[in-house]
Amino acid sequence: MDDLTFLVVDDSAFMRKVVKDMLAENGYDKIFEAGNGLQAVEKAAQVKPDIVTMDITMPDMDGIQAVKELLKVSPKSKVIMCSALGQKNMVLEAIRSGAKEYVVKPFEKSRLMEAIQRVMYS
C-alpha cells in the first residue's frame, strides 16, 4: 500500500470522519485532520502531507486562501478541493490557487479514490 500522509480539512467533524473512514477502508492510516484553514496550514507545516482534502467554505480562513498558504509551507502537497454543488467559481479559484483536483459533496468513496490516484500519478 502507498505510504501516503493525508490531511483532511473540513469545519464539519462529521465530514472529516466520513473522509477519514473512506481513506482507512482503502488501507491508508497516516491521516491528520484540521477544522479550518488556519489549522490546516499549521498542521501541513508539521506533517508535510502528500494529499490534502480541503473544504472550501470554512471559518477563520476559507479553503481558497488555505490552499495558497498551505502550499507555501508544504509545496509538494497535492490538494483536492471538496465543494458543495453550486461552488463552481470558488472551485475554479482554488484550482488557480494551486489545487489539483476537486470532488463535489456528497461524494462516493470511488470518486475520492479516483481523485487521489489522479493527483498522485499525474
Side-chain angles (χ1 to χ4, degrees):
M1 180 54 62
D2 295 327
D3 195 27
L4 299 175
T5 300
F6 288 85
L7 176 58
V8 178
V9 185
D10 201 301
D11 57 327
S12 160
F14 174 76
M15 270 313 296
R16 290 196 308 269
K17 180 174 178 1
V18 166
V19 174
K20 283 173 63 177
D21 288 350
M22 287 179 181
L23 295 170
E25 286 169 16
N26 277 272
Y28 298 112
D29 59 3
K30 289 169 44 182
I31 306 167
F32 298 89
E33 58 183 286
N36 62 46
L38 288 173
Q39 291 174 8
V41 173
E42 289 171 13
K43 187 58 81 173
Q46 294 168 4
V47 302
K48 306 287 192 220
D50 298 296
I51 309 258
V52 179
T53 64
M54 177 83 68
D55 187 19
I56 288 185
T57 312
M58 295 180 292
D60 299 325
M61 181 189 290
D62 70 19
I64 294 168
Q65 189 61 39
V67 168
K68 295 175 187 173
E69 297 302 317
L70 186 147
L71 291 174
K72 289 177 188 173
V73 300
S74 185
K76 292 190 170 131
S77 294
K78 307 265 201 274
V79 181
I80 300 171
M81 300 306 294
C82 301
S83 72
L85 277 172
Q87 292 182 314
K88 184 175 180 190
N89 288 340
M90 293 178 84
V91 168
L92 292 173
E93 178 67 24
I95 300 282
R96 282 193 289 271
S97 299
K100 301 289 183 208
E101 183 64 67
Y102 71 94
V103 292
V104 176
K105 294 179 190 174
F107 47 82
E108 299 291 321
K109 181 170 70 171
S110 61
R111 177 69 184 95
L112 179 61
M113 293 304 123
E114 287 167 13
I116 290 168
Q117 292 299 317
R118 272 202 296 280
V119 298
M120 283 315 297
Y121 305 107
S122 60

